[in-house]
Amino acid sequence: MKTKVNVLFIGMVLLIMLGGFLRPLIKPSEIIYDENRVAVLLPKLSIDSFKEKDFQDDFERALSDQIPLSSLMKKFLKNAELSTKTLGYSLFRNNVYYSISSSIYLYNDYLVYGSNSLSVLKSSLDLKSQNINKAVGILPDTKFFFYYIEKDTDINFLNNDKVGVFERLLDGLDNRVIANKFEIDSFDEYKNYFYKTDHHWNYKGSYRAYTDLVKMVSKEEANSYEKEICLKSIMSGSKASSAGSTDIFTENFCAYQFNLLEHDVFINGTKVDSYGDYKTINKENPDTISYGKYYGWDVGLIEFDYHEPKKENLLIIGESYDNAINELLASHFNKTYNVDLRAYEMDMHEPFDLLKFVKKNDISKVLLIGNIDFAVSDTFNIIRDGE
């Protein structure tokens, strides 16, 4: 009898294991959410890939991602590692950068990046200035504005030394470009305007930037918010995800509510009810929330039409920081177009052509807005090579 029970037990275990190995073939996981990356899928077998051992290596990585419980086990081990690190941090927490991953530090309970080095960035910043100047030369009748966002990468919190990215850019910019920055001079300022677990500015930071920008690009007064809300939803942002655990690092999510005039919104040419899910979220109050889910995700082209033809048309070229403010800025213009050059060509099925876009949409003002990534990456070049 005992032998039969053992055989039955072993058979059940083998079936479970077999199911685990068949699962990657039938329904493979596409995303490893806890590591914020695309999952490795089972590779295709060929004679060459087998001879070069590429197949074997890829197969091993795919099994690690696809076998049931592997993601859960990775998450458990990562949480255990980070729990140990945060325990160590609690013993040395006064004004130190405490490393928890290759690029993320804990500083006074905030997840932060380390500051950059200007010497490493100079050549990229100079190229960015040249690219913007080229656009100004091509469109002399268009007003250009540049708004740089300082954050943790721009200041060493230990001594408040600034990297000087904006100043380097400003030195190289055509004097016809009206430039300003979102300035951070200390950790106290930083923590007031940025999330604990995410790289974006929080609602106080984005509203401060909006009021700055209204002064820059419009003669109107900034919209006042109606009220401040704090959702019961828990947020665990991009830095927590990059560090490998969204369970340990969490925070509350707050936002300002506005009463804007009626307007139309188009995403990649298709009319939608709104950009972002803030109207629905305010009512439903889901368990979890994120910056992108509330304010809107990164897409190639957004158009806001306030139907005031006596006002000017604005083009905003930026990245995800402006997601929280572009609808507010748009309320001061007739039509506002928001372009994210990381997604434009994929979403609109054609390369972005600044000259063509400005002429076609009767743009009188162009606002460039972003942080260090926008300032150094050629992905955000507004004029392509050869133009």
Side-chain angles (χ1 to χ4, degrees), residues 200-226:
H200 294 104
W201 46 27
N202 61 25
Y203 68 117
K204 292 181 180 179
S206 61
Y207 186 71
R208 173 188 152 187
Y210 159 67
T211 57
D212 285 346
L213 288 164
V214 170
K215 296 175 185 177
M216 279 182 66
V217 302
S218 169
K219 296 179 180 179
E220 298 184 1
E221 294 292 323
N223 291 298
S224 299
Y225 56 88
E226 286 198 320

Side-chain angles (χ1 to χ4, degrees), residues 49-65:
S49 66
F50 193 83
K51 285 171 59 180
E52 299 296 327
K53 294 187 177 181
D54 292 336
F55 173 81
Q56 293 92 316
D57 293 339
D58 291 341
F59 188 80
E60 182 178 346
R61 288 194 292 268
L63 285 182
S64 177
D65 280 358

Side-chain angles (χ1 to χ4, degrees), residues 320-333:
S320 54
Y321 276 81
D322 57 70
N323 295 8
I325 61 174
N326 51 32
E327 195 160 14
L328 285 170
L329 279 175
S331 68
H332 301 276
F333 292 86

